Amino acid sequence: MTTLERTVGTGVTRIEGREKVTGTALYAYEYPVPDALYAVAVQSTIARGRVRSVDAGPASALPGVVAVLDSGSVPRLRPTDDPELSVLQSAEVAYRGQIVAAVVADSYETARQAAAAVRVGYAEEPHDVELRDGDPHIFVPETVNAGYVGRTERGDVDTALATAPVTIDATYTTPPEHTCAMEPHATIAVWDGDTLTLYNGDQGPWVTANTLAALFGLPEGAVRIVADHVGGGFGSKALPRPPTVLAALAARAVGRPVKVAATRQQMFTMVSYRTPTVQRVRLGAERDGRLTAISHNALQQSSRLTPYCEQTVVATRMMYAAPHRRTIHRLAQLDVPTPSWMRAPGESPGMFALESAMDELAYALEMDPIELRVVNEPSADPESGNAFSSRNLIACLREGAARFGWAGRDPRPGRRREGRWLVGTGVAAGTYPAHTWPATATARAEPDGRFTVRIAAVDIGTGARTALTQVAADELGVALDRVTLDIGRSSYGEAPFAGGSMGTSSWGWAVSKVCRELSKRLGDLAGQIPPGGLEAYADTTEDVRAREDLARHAYGAQFAEVRVDADTGQVRVDRLLGMFAAGRIINARTARSQLRGGMCMGLSAALYENLELDPDFGDFANHDLATYHVAAHADVRDVEAYWIEEEDDRLSPIGAKGVGELGIVGTAAAVANAVHHATGVRVRDLPITLERVRAGRTP
């Protein structure tokens, strides 16, 4: 084979772009499955209690209704570690919006009409849905999401804080937020004997297949997931959710394929959301800015079904050097849906609090906030003591400041005015762990000289399909158009989900390994392909396990320029600039898109997003996109993303860290810090509404 110029690192356009813009790309709900019926969920109208009765009469009388399902008429599922997946397995109601029945009909319209006609009787119990500090039932979990310990402590934090020359003690809050992926959760379930095929909006086909097989008591391989194209997920599709289970249950019950598509309103309770947080950050420092103590305590919520706790304070453990350190997660289990992963779970809200507190400390010290971060740069991971595989946060801060125009900034708040607008700038740091999980892949040299690579990866809009094709083509030494990358099928073998910013790094390692093996075998045959083709297989499990014990993280520095209306308090973000260190960038075009997208999402969290709790009914009052506000085009004016060239050969053969979540981390804090610089008002509660800006003004 002829060695060509490598494509990794260049800005290759999306391979599937034409399919998407012409509408030929198939998403979960669009597969042409014959004889399919439609199922629509009936959701609980109480927040806690028990279903006493399900009156299916009015619904069953409608023409086209095939079945009305409830907890007494669906197949039994196996016990699971995720009680949210035990759909219709009990009459107990744990939160408002839980699935308590479902209608199956020959059209979607009929199914929705019939679902509205089902009458459910309840034995209602008092509910509690409000997150309150001081609740006696709050506890510190032993472990939190991703297996981190719930509490850590080193040194004598209280004494260090009491004796520090300069201290900060502030509480920050973040509201519940929803993922709002463009494609709603949708599934087509098809049973063939004891084999289940699910056309599913899915971030992790292999993971979902194994989860559903265990749930239905099926052998490995009996569940097959098809997810060729996925319209976003932000974490909500990384694990199977109740709509997917409902489709499989309904299809099993009626003996025909069944389609389920959650409405936008249903998604606000039937799939994951980001937990609200109440975070207290205390910092102690010497006069030169060196931290002596860090204390970060985060309170958050989960359902009564399961004690899911987000890793909100974990980033604080490794971000800055300080001899005395304490981090604590606290959890309240309430009568609410179970929160779960949403882009940068833990790091996004946690770094808002930490980086806001660091800005407050910089003002207390009369010190530049960039220099404060520089003097507290650790030489090794402060929590584990492990060396960093690479850490270029200072480079991000320095280069980002130069590009943004930070030099010469007057640090005094409220000094810059343009007409009725107060203008300010802010900075914050960000980090996200560089995870890599084992994966398998196959590569085949076809008799016609083309190559086919298969891996159970998935492209949720990130450009993964294109990036992996680049990796494969470069390893094979051929042009991109000679490689066909097949993804989105659980049958392609073990692979992690698209989440945790580990997709490209994990899948890419397997693709790189299998293509190298195939190239070697072809070399042994002097490039001659047997008539039936030649295939290679790779598994990175042992490779991942054998890596040295290092602290692996990506970093970023976020800069924001805002203007605040001096009369109304309205905030507009004029500029966002992010400078990142994320290992080897596989595709410059799609990486920049991901980083900018994350920054836009951080801007949205800073200014707009807020699920409003209705304590009387026990659910979110603003459960649609008309009332749950996200940033629109007019809100995103100028967003720039850059990165430093970072070579980290201790990550994996492809050297990638992942960028999907790094862009959001730190953005909200940068905006909040810029608002303070513009106005002198410190808003510690997201979102930064005009009411909160006005409330902080001195009369």
Side-chain angles (χ1 to χ4, degrees), residues 38-55:
Y38 300 80
V40 171
V42 178
Q43 297 177 270
S44 166
T45 58
I46 66 169
R48 184 177 184 179
R50 183 178 180 84
V51 174
R52 292 191 306 179
S53 62
V54 176
D55 181 2

Side-chain angles (χ1 to χ4, degrees), residues 662-680:
L662 182 60
I664 191 175
V665 181
T667 301
V671 172
N673 295 340
V675 169
H676 174 262
H677 183 235
T679 65

Side-chain angles (χ1 to χ4, degrees), residues 136-150:
H137 300 296
I138 292 171
F139 67 99
V140 177
E142 185 175 335
T143 59
V144 299
N145 184 47
Y148 297 106
V149 296

Side-chain angles (χ1 to χ4, degrees), residues 519-539:
S519 291
K520 178 180 180 299
R521 295 181 63 185
L522 286 169
D524 293 341
L525 297 172
Q528 298 300 311
I529 301 175
L534 185 67
E535 189 164 292
Y537 170 82
D539 183 340

Side-chain angles (χ1 to χ4, degrees), residues 55-84:
D55 181 2
S60 299
L62 293 173
V65 171
V66 175
V68 177
L69 307 174
D70 59 31
S71 61
S73 61
V74 297
R76 295 296 93 188
L77 300 174
R78 299 293 178 89
T80 172
D81 292 337
D82 184 356
E84 284 279 3

Side-chain angles (χ1 to χ4, degrees), residues 590-611:
T590 56
R592 181 167 282 108
S593 174
Q594 283 295 292
L595 290 167
R596 294 177 69 204
M599 293 164 71
C600 292
M601 206 164 176
L603 180 158
S604 191
L607 299 185
Y608 305 112
E609 297 191 42
N610 182 14
L611 283 169

Side-chain angles (χ1 to χ4, degrees), residues 402-591:
R403 289 178 179 267
F404 185 75
W406 187 264
R409 169 184 183 262
D410 187 337
R412 295 172 297 175
R415 296 289 174 156
R416 181 178 166 192
R417 185 160 184 158
E418 297 177 4
R420 75 173 196 271
W421 297 97
L422 298 167
V423 181
T425 54
V427 65
T431 186
Y432 198 80
H435 295 302
T436 306
W437 279 17
T440 62
T442 60
R444 180 177 178 81
E446 306 292 356
D448 63 0
R450 294 183 55 80
F451 296 87
T452 302
V453 179
R454 288 194 169 118
I455 185 168
V458 70
D459 193 327
I460 61 173
T462 57
R465 180 182 272 105
T466 306
L468 295 177
T469 303
Q470 292 174 256
V471 172
D474 282 6
E475 296 291 8
L476 292 167
V478 300
L480 285 171
D481 60 6
R482 286 180 61 188
V483 177
T484 298
L485 185 81
D486 290 339
I487 62 173
R489 308 292 175 102
S490 59
S491 59
Y492 294 159
E494 179 178 357
F497 46 72
S501 293
M502 65 183 171
T504 299
S505 59
S506 303
W507 307 323
W509 191 340
V511 167
S512 171
K513 183 176 181 179
V514 76
C515 290
R516 288 184 184 184
E517 175 61 24
L518 183 59
S519 291
K520 178 180 180 299
R521 295 181 63 185
L522 286 169
D524 293 341
L525 297 172
Q528 298 300 311
I529 301 175
L534 185 67
E535 189 164 292
Y537 170 82
D539 183 340
T540 63
T541 301
E542 295 305 318
D543 304 295
V544 172
R545 290 174 179 170
R547 293 189 306 172
E548 58 184 317
D549 200 7
L550 298 170
R552 297 177 174 85
H553 304 270
Y555 299 92
Q558 304 276 17
F559 295 82
E561 180 179 289
V562 306
R563 60 182 57 239
V564 182
D565 190 296
D567 297 318
T568 68
Q570 179 191 19
V571 179
R572 302 302 303 265
V573 177
D574 282 352
R575 284 197 297 151
L576 283 178
L577 185 146
M579 194 75 204
F580 303 98
R584 189 183 190 190
I585 300 300
I586 304 299
N587 185 307
R589 183 187 297 259
T590 56

